[in-house]
Amino acid sequence: MLNREQFIETLNKACEELGFEKNDVIISHGGASLLQHLRNETDDIDVSIPQHYWNVLLDLGLEVRTLPATGTYPAVEIIEHLDVDWHLATKDQSADMVNLHGYAVTRPLRLLRDRIALGRQKDMGDIKLLTHLASQLSMKDYARMNELINQHL
């Protein structure tokens, strides 16, 4: 488990070693929850990076793994390197980001949408903490959120 300080220290070190600019790295999932004080620890570091950084990792000969689809969230390719799970950023997400510690971090509403899409038991804590944003969800996401809450009661 990583606390905020350990998370940032590990990610800073990895970005520095690879020559990645912090503002091009998107922190999502548990890291976003951690940095926005929704939790005190996270299991791992999940970040999305642009294609040119992804190519740097591929050029290092690193293995690409595919995580299976979960809930309504599609399958995702990742590269595990330097204690970070690197994901390829597939679209412009800048409207859903806030800058924290020099990184782009998923805003709470986007985090809620992602957690609803994943729908795992471990996502329920974040979902419950973010229900105050429910009025900003689509009808589909709102219905799925309520279904998940009832399912995991």
Side-chain angles (χ1 to χ4, degrees):
M1 297 295 277
L2 300 164
N3 63 29
R4 279 176 207 83
E5 194 173 293
Q6 294 165 326
F7 182 96
I8 291 297
E9 182 179 307
T10 302
L11 186 54
N12 283 346
K13 183 177 175 185
C15 286
E16 184 177 319
E17 185 170 323
L18 292 165
F20 293 177
E21 293 292 326
K22 290 168 42 169
N23 61 337
D24 290 332
V25 175
I26 299 170
I27 298 172
S28 59
H29 303 295
S33 297
L34 179 71
L35 295 180
Q36 295 184 64
H37 300 274
L38 296 174
R39 60 170 72 170
N40 295 319
E41 297 179 315
T42 190
D43 298 337
D44 57 6
I45 300 174
D46 288 293
V47 298
S48 296
I49 53 174
Q51 183 70 54
H52 61 281
Y53 287 166
W54 184 258
N55 293 343
V56 168
L57 297 176
L58 292 176
D59 289 346
L60 292 173
L62 299 171
E63 178 185 354
V64 177
R65 278 192 328 124
T66 302
L67 301 179
T70 304
T72 61
Y73 209 81
V76 175
E77 290 186 333
I78 68 164
I79 296 174
E80 297 169 324
H81 185 58
L82 301 173
D83 298 318
V84 177
D85 295 340
W86 306 94
H87 304 246
L88 177 61
T90 56
K91 59 183 177 184
D92 180 20
Q93 303 172 19
S94 57
D96 291 329
M97 302 298 138
V98 62
N99 186 300
L100 296 172
H101 301 277
Y103 294 97
V105 179
T106 306
R107 288 183 187 273
L109 181 59
R110 173 59 185 261
L111 180 60
L112 176 59
R113 287 182 182 130
D114 288 348
R115 292 301 193 195
I116 290 168
L118 287 164
R120 304 166 299 187
Q121 177 66 43
K122 73 179 201 172
D123 298 312
M124 294 310 301
D126 288 349
I127 289 172
K128 289 177 183 175
L129 288 171
L130 294 168
T131 55
H132 66 281
L133 301 172
S135 65
Q136 298 174 55
L137 293 171
S138 68
M139 295 286 280
K140 181 181 172 183
D141 286 342
Y142 185 81
R144 179 159 167 75
M145 180 186 73
N146 285 322
E147 175 187 316
L148 290 168
I149 289 171
N150 290 330
Q151 178 184 348
H152 294 287
L153 282 177

